[in-house]
Amino acid sequence: MEITPIFDSKEVWGSGTYDFELKSKTDSIFIDAINMDFLYVALNGKQIEFLNSGKQLGFKAPKIKGNHKLFIRYVAKPRQTVYYIGLNDRITGNEQLWTQGQGKYTSHWLPSFDDMDEKVEFDLTLNTDEGYTVITNGKLTEKNVTEGIIDWHFDMQDPMSSYLAAFVIGNFNKKELKSNSGIPIELYYEPKDSLKVEPTYRYSKEIFDFLEEEIGIPYPWQNYKQVPVQDFLYAGMENTSATIFSNTYVIDSTAFVDKNYVNVNAHELAHQWFGNLVTEKSGKHHWLHEGFATYYAYLAERQLFGEDYFYWKLYATAKTLHNLSESGGGEALTNPNANSLTFYEKGAWALVMLKDRVGKEAFDTGIKAYLSKHQFKNVTISDFLKEMETTSNQSLEDFEVLWLESEQFPWTKIKQKLKQESKSLRMVFEMEDEFQKIKSDDLNFEAYWNASESSNFKQYLIKQHHKILPETILNKAFSSNDIKIRQALATSLLGIKGTRKLTEELISKYETLLEDQSYVTIESALVKLWSTFPEKRADYFSKTKEIIGLPNKNIRLLWLALALITPDYQLESKDAFYQELNGYTNNHHHFEVRQLAFEYLSQIKALNDASLINLIEASEHHVWQFKKSSRNLLKELSKRNDYKTRLSTIAKSLDERQ
């Protein structure tokens, strides 16, 4: 297929040939095609009549079985799935065009098949202006330049479901690696982010090599590409051989401690086997995608960060699932309408317990047999369990009932597993048992602290029991070089009603948190110190005025909001602070930056008219979470007298849709 996106009109022009085999006689053939105009349709070289319902292209099937060719030329007007970014702002060079097919339907831009059962080998050619880079499925085989237009030709060797067809167009450079098995790995980034490439993609090769070895089946595609884009709908999406992910994971080394791409990186790569190589038949079998990708991502993190990290992460998800189950919100893994927590986290736990049940050797053998037998095909849960029963020589009916069909989360079995595998978690459960017998004040926290080398355990102690921990433990925690332990101090101590009073020595140590290499630590420490010690605010501002923070600019936005409402602080700069904070609501900023700016400006009652117009525009944003929060804020403001009149005046200048 040859695809030409038109930026100005937000259309997609396309043409190409579909080679297909008619295996049995049928009256008609239908291809999903939403809101498209078909300019020409030909079957085996002859123009034919066709039906365009607005949702499908239909035509009479050939009378003769065998191989046939369908040629089409069309214009698509996508209402979703294709996202044009940076077209209507004042920034040059930030224009992007990217797609998201899963849940949105690729048939909005490519005549294809919304049913995952249909597997197609797509060879795509995309035409763009010079200056743009194209990333899509498959291997780039050729680039031709004609009068300023580049034709990018990509080849796919194997079939996939249509929802996994995707492309990105934008201004990107790339870093190239090779896996131990020789697979080319392309890591894309915007030129402005060249210094963030290493921390963003840290461990990418290690993750790739680990998953190939752990899964036991070679990576199934020609190459692997990853590209971050602006205002992506999700954390990431595993399009075949080309993962698209949110550029909020494009980070510096300090942010790596707080929010890194490692888990998303491993999760989306695992999908290249689980979801792309073998694909579910329907939503009832969605565990075969998300549970497996989550599980193997956790294994990759265990390889990188150790056993303690692995089991504490599983413990956190188990606690959440247990609480949900206890409150009546548990769901079966076979429920096609289950939430993400069920498919991802309960799904991962099911695999942890399945391996425990059948043994590592049988589990690994079963995984390889399952992938080999069903590669490039569609699968059900029964297909997977059948392979596991064969390799383990066990019946798994009881496992299926307990883990896949039951809405309950088997917390007792989980606790036994965690106690068995993790010394530090065994101590947690021992503490909880001891709490039932004695007053928490009488617990020997010193003994527990000294008995464990686990950073996760010590974070747990601080977060759960900071109000009653001995000062000797807090001193040890502040003296620690462990950033996560100090982060627990920052988020737990000081500034919250009901927390303990700190000594002058501990307050002095708390102030050192403003110098830590963690943006989460600095943010929490800044707001708490600002609130608790008004007389020192200028000093705290001075220490943090040059820090931007995470990709959502968490520290800079907080700093501006606090500086604006601090009396007598840099009065000559107040207007500049005000304009900068309002400026972050503009649409060329990431939606997470804008959302945080709207929240702060609303809290301090400082939204100007330009920001209110930006809020109205944000109420139609393609990311539903941002759209929802913007609409909710707009509704709230419209009820406040200080904004109601201004919004009524602004409304007179808007178009009918706005």
Side-chain angles (χ1 to χ4, degrees):
M1 295 295 294
E2 185 169 350
I3 306 296
T4 305
I6 309 299
F7 277 70
D8 293 340
S9 62
K10 295 185 178 181
E11 295 178 331
V12 175
W13 291 64
S15 63
T17 300
Y18 294 76
D19 294 307
F20 67 95
E21 180 185 359
L22 187 65
K23 294 185 176 182
S24 60
K25 289 187 177 182
T26 185
D27 291 334
S28 303
I29 295 175
F30 296 93
I31 300 176
D32 295 312
I34 301 174
N35 198 32
M36 295 184 184
D37 294 328
F38 289 92
L39 310 179
Y40 183 79
V41 179
L43 182 62
N44 298 324
K46 294 182 179 181
Q47 187 172 356
I48 60 172
E49 293 183 356
F50 60 89
L51 173 67
N52 182 1
S53 69
K55 294 183 178 180
Q56 287 184 319
L57 167 69
F59 59 94
K60 289 184 178 180
K63 295 181 180 180
I64 302 173
K65 291 188 289 185
N67 295 323
H68 300 275
K69 291 181 181 291
L70 175 73
F71 177 84
I72 60 174
R73 186 179 297 118
Y74 68 95
V75 179
K77 302 171 184 176
R79 295 172 183 165
Q80 59 188 48
T81 308
V82 181
Y83 299 91
Y84 296 80
I85 308 298
L87 300 189
N88 301 316
D89 58 37
R90 302 172 186 174
I91 310 299
T92 301
N94 70 334
E95 297 83 7
Q96 291 182 358
L97 178 57
W98 49 262
T99 65
Q100 170 55 36
Q102 186 173 41
K104 301 296 180 183
Y105 300 129
T106 299
S107 56
H108 278 269
W109 64 271
L110 178 68
S112 52
F113 304 95
D114 296 338
D115 190 338
M116 289 185 290
D117 273 0
E118 299 286 352
K119 296 272 190 172
V120 182
E121 179 207 328
F122 290 102
D123 294 334
L124 298 179
T125 294
L126 284 105
N127 305 319
T128 65
D129 292 338
E130 285 188 283
Y132 290 118
T133 297
V134 172
I135 303 99
T136 188
N137 314 94
K139 179 181 179 181
L140 178 64
T141 58
E142 192 177 1
K143 281 172 60 178
N144 298 318
V145 182
T146 306
E147 297 181 354
I149 302 296
I150 303 179
D151 302 333
W152 301 69
H153 300 273
F154 291 84
D155 169 69
M156 277 292 292
Q157 292 180 344
D158 294 301
M160 63 181 181
S161 298
S162 297
Y163 78 91
L164 295 166
F167 65 84
V168 176
I169 298 174
N171 183 19
F172 297 101
N173 292 337
K174 69 177 177 180
K175 178 180 180 179
E176 298 183 75
L177 307 172
K178 271 197 175 181
S179 70
N180 287 345
S181 60
I183 298 294
I185 303 171
E186 301 174 9
L187 310 176
Y188 287 86
Y189 60 93
E190 295 182 69
K192 65 181 178 63
D193 294 323
S194 60
L195 297 180
K196 298 179 180 179
V197 174
E198 190 283 322
T200 298
Y201 289 113
R202 189 173 294 171
Y203 304 124
S204 286
K205 182 181 182 303
E206 290 88 341
I207 292 169
F208 194 104
D209 292 336
F210 169 78
L211 287 179
E212 268 207 311
E213 182 176 352
E214 180 68 24
I215 294 169
I217 297 292
Y219 176 78
W221 314 104
Q222 295 141 286
N223 56 18
Y224 186 54
K225 299 156 291 248
Q226 299 183 78
V227 54
V229 299
Q230 176 82 351
D231 285 354
F232 195 53
L233 280 69
Y234 313 114
M237 175 61 202
E238 69 282 2
N239 310 292
T240 307
S241 79
T243 285
I244 302 173
F245 67 98
S246 169
N247 63 359
T248 57
Y249 289 100
V250 177
I251 54 167
D252 60 26
S253 289
T254 300
F256 186 89
V257 174
D258 304 314
K259 178 186 177 180
N260 60 60
Y261 179 55
V262 171
N263 180 268
V264 177
N265 189 341
H267 182 100
E268 306 307 336
L269 178 55
H271 270 311
Q272 299 298 327
W273 287 268
F274 303 99
N276 297 9
L277 179 60
V278 293
T279 307
E280 66 190 43
K281 280 187 175 292
S282 68
K284 182 179 180 180
H285 310 283
H286 198 46
W287 170 57
L288 299 174
H289 288 199
E290 299 303 347
F292 283 59
T294 303
Y295 169 73
Y296 278 98
Y298 285 170
L299 293 188
E301 289 185 293
R302 181 173 68 180
Q303 176 73 10
L304 295 170
F305 306 131
E307 295 281 330
D308 198 57
Y309 179 96
F310 174 70
Y311 284 110
W312 274 85
K313 196 158 189 176
L314 285 175
Y315 169 67
T317 66
K319 286 282 288 184
T320 302
L321 288 163
H322 172 57
N323 293 336
L324 188 65
S325 179
E326 289 292 289
S327 65
E331 296 174 318
L333 275 168
T334 53
N335 178 1
N337 299 314
N339 61 35
S340 295
L341 183 67
T342 297
F343 284 129
Y344 287 62
E345 306 302 346
K346 186 177 181 181
W349 260 111
L351 289 169
V352 169
M353 300 305 284
L354 178 60
K355 180 186 282 189
D356 196 55
R357 163 72 175 272
V358 303
K360 176 174 171 49
E361 183 178 353
F363 181 87
D364 291 347
T365 302
I367 289 289
K368 287 188 282 188
Y370 164 70
L371 291 173
S372 298
K373 183 176 181 178
H374 300 286
Q375 61 181 329
F376 310 116
K377 297 177 184 177
N378 294 83
V379 288
T380 66
I381 289 174
S382 294
D383 292 326
F384 172 70
L385 293 179
K386 182 179 179 181
E387 297 303 325
M388 282 295 167
E389 288 181 329
T390 299
T391 57
S392 66
N393 196 28
Q394 295 183 32
S395 170
L396 296 175
E397 287 185 18
D398 58 331
F399 172 86
E400 186 173 7
V401 170
L402 177 64
W403 277 101
L404 306 185
E405 297 175 355
S406 173
E407 294 180 350
Q408 301 302 308
F409 187 69
W411 176 240
T412 302
K413 289 182 177 293
I414 295 303
K415 284 180 64 174
Q416 291 174 349
K417 173 68 174 175
L418 292 173
K419 285 181 181 179
Q420 174 186 332
E421 301 292 346
S422 170
K423 177 183 176 181
S424 58
L425 283 168
R426 187 159 60 250
M427 291 174 63
V428 169
F429 295 125
E430 289 174 0
M431 284 179 56
E432 290 178 349
D433 291 340
E434 198 169 349
F435 277 146
Q436 305 300 318
K437 303 173 184 176
I438 64 173
K439 293 181 180 180
S440 58
D441 291 4
D442 296 330
L443 199 67
N444 189 347
F445 288 109
E446 288 267 12
Y448 279 107
W449 181 277
N450 294 332
S452 178
E453 297 295 323
S454 168
S455 169
N456 292 289
F457 178 76
K458 293 178 178 180
Q459 292 171 55
Y460 169 87
L461 274 184
I462 294 168
K463 290 177 181 178
Q464 297 297 318
H465 305 294
H466 56 87
K467 295 180 183 179
I468 55 176
L469 285 179
E471 190 167 320
T472 53
I473 288 182
L474 295 182
N475 278 318
K476 289 179 180 179
F478 274 115
S479 299
S480 171
N481 292 323
D482 189 309
I483 292 177
K484 285 293 186 178
I485 290 177
R486 291 173 60 84
Q487 190 177 95
L489 291 166
T491 56
S492 301
L493 298 179
L494 200 65
I496 299 176
K497 185 177 180 181
T499 58
R500 66 190 297 153
K501 291 184 178 180
L502 302 185
T503 63
E504 287 296 322
E505 181 184 3
L506 287 176
I507 291 170
S508 178
K509 290 182 177 180
Y510 191 94
E511 290 175 336
T512 67
L513 296 172
L514 291 176
E515 301 168 7
D516 274 23
Q517 295 298 299
S518 161
Y519 296 132
V520 170
T521 299
I522 295 170
E523 178 186 15
S524 185
L526 174 59
V527 71
K528 290 182 178 182
L529 288 167
W530 178 90
S531 175
T532 308
F533 306 109
E535 69 280 7
K536 296 184 179 181
R537 287 174 177 173
D539 182 43
Y540 301 145
F541 284 141
S542 177
K543 289 181 177 180
T544 55
K545 65 180 179 179
E546 302 298 330
I547 304 174
I548 302 299
L550 293 167
N552 68 352
K553 304 184 188 298
N554 63 321
I555 295 177
R556 184 58 183 170
L557 293 179
L558 171 64
W559 192 98
L560 289 168
L562 294 179
L564 281 170
I565 61 174
T566 301
D568 302 325
Y569 179 71
Q570 293 193 7
L571 297 179
E572 73 284 358
S573 300
K574 292 284 189 185
D575 184 62
F577 297 158
Y578 178 68
Q579 295 301 326
E580 182 182 350
L581 185 54
N582 272 280
Y584 285 122
T585 67
N586 197 285
N587 65 3
H588 68 266
H589 291 290
H590 192 278
F591 76 84
E592 290 186 6
V593 174
R594 301 175 68 194
Q595 185 170 350
L596 194 55
F598 284 133
E599 290 174 3
Y600 281 136
L601 287 164
S602 173
Q603 289 171 14
I604 66 175
K605 300 181 179 180
L607 283 157
N608 63 22
D609 285 359
S611 294
L612 288 173
I613 293 173
N614 288 338
L615 180 61
I616 293 168
E617 180 270 334
S619 297
E620 297 184 296
H621 199 272
H622 63 266
V623 176
W624 73 267
Q625 301 98 319
F626 181 45
K627 176 170 69 175
K628 182 179 180 180
S629 71
S630 299
R631 291 188 176 197
N632 288 341
L633 178 57
L634 197 56
K635 289 177 183 178
E636 178 188 324
L637 294 175
S638 67
K639 297 175 184 177
R640 289 163 48 174
N641 290 332
D642 51 340
Y643 283 105
K644 188 173 183 179
T645 302
R646 290 170 59 197
L647 285 168
S648 297
T649 302
I650 289 171
K652 297 175 183 177
S653 65
L654 302 177
D655 62 37
E656 183 177 356
R657 176 180 52 80
Q658 291 175 319

